[in-house]
Amino acid sequence: MSNAKVLPLLEPDGQGVTPCCPPLTERPFTADEAETAARMFKALGDPVRLRLFSAVASHEGGEACVCDISDVGVSQPTVSHHLKKLKEAGLLTSERRGTWVYYRVEPSVLAAMGKLLTMAPTAA
Amino acid sequence: MSNAKVLPLLEPDGQGVTPCCPPLTERPFTADEAETAARMFKALGDPVRLRLFSAVASHEGGEACVCDISDVGVSQPTVSHHLKKLKEAGLLTSERRGTWVYYRVEPSVLAAMGKLLTMAPTAA
DNA sequence: CACCTGTATCGATAGACGTCAACATAGACA
DNA sequence: TGTCTATGTTGACGTCTATCGATACAGGTG
């Protein structure tokens, strides 16, 4: 339940985060960069996880209780399993507050992923 | 080798394309939206595919011959397999020119994926 | 035509993954 | 303490997938 090691794809640098990789269009990814970035994409590559992630991301305050988002057509253990995967991928963090566990999306992670898909500024 | 049915995630609309889904943060994805968008993320969720895609995307003109990008540490059949997957996901198109086959990235697809990861414009 | 190079397909195999039922754990409350 | 609800973990099962060697196909060149 701890968030000790999260955001494996971004390194905090004081006033923001440094993305793991350049835009996909800037230069060919190295093996390491690809390994790192692929983890993120892979985490979002399952429909159930994508729905869970979207549910959290679009929820008020960028966070949601599991009970608020678990209506995605699979069993409760499966929901828990997918939330764990999203957490391991650095896309979500979690925190227990009393009876409920809240998952939160890190906006900077979203932004970094968006930049990955940006066209390189080639004299636009 | 035909590109008859490509870009399953975007619908051409004359002067551009209409993305399949709203930004992840706008509202919870429906099951159908998640199914569609997850296919894209899944395609990029493999390190080898990500390297191939990045190699094509960053290559001059947004296109590259297989021979230019196949040095990613796996066998030739595996490269071919992954390129096919990327094509099926609508991320690449291919065209044979003489002896060689060229793969090309559709810029609009990249842009659409980027928008998926955009923060909803909440009175920014 | 025969031959060579570049790319795709086939068939097999090992490992990863999504899913569930059963069980475990954490906190609230009586 | 016991019980109830919310969530996580375990173990098993079937399916998907990444990978390879062998082979097929396409196009150029002689």
Side-chain angles (χ1 to χ4, degrees), chain A residues 24 37 40-41 43-45 50 53-54 57 86 91 105-118, chain B residues 19-26 29 37 40-41 44 109-121:
Chain A
L24 277 165
M40 276 190 312
F41 288 117
L44 295 180
L50 200 49
F53 185 78
S54 172
L86 287 167
L91 295 170
V105 55
E106 203 61 41
S108 55
V109 176
L110 258 186
M113 285 197 72
K115 286 200 184 103
L116 269 192
L117 298 168
T118 295
Chain B
C20 63
C21 317
L24 277 166
T25 54
E26 189 173 306
F29 270 21
M40 275 191 310
F41 288 117
L44 295 180
V109 176
L110 258 188
M113 285 198 72
K115 285 199 184 103
L116 270 191
L117 297 169
T118 295
M119 298 301 285

Side-chain angles (χ1 to χ4, degrees), chain A residues 18-89:
Chain A
T18 303
C20 62
C21 317
L24 277 165
T25 54
E26 190 173 305
R27 57 167 172 75
F29 270 21
T30 66
D32 282 348
E33 288 168 344
E35 199 82 38
T36 300
R39 255 177 274 152
M40 276 190 312
F41 288 117
K42 190 174 188 177
L44 295 180
D46 177 272
V48 172
R49 277 198 295 272
L50 200 49
R51 290 186 73 184
L52 290 170
F53 185 78
S54 172
V56 173
S58 62
H59 206 265
E60 191 175 354
E63 76 171 16
C65 166
V66 175
C67 58
D68 289 329
I69 59 175
S70 52
D71 189 21
V72 288
V74 294
S75 68
Q76 175 270 322
T78 301
V79 169
S80 192
H81 165 75
H82 284 307
L83 288 172
K84 186 180 184 180
K85 289 282 190 119
L86 287 167
K87 205 172 143 182
E88 288 171 349

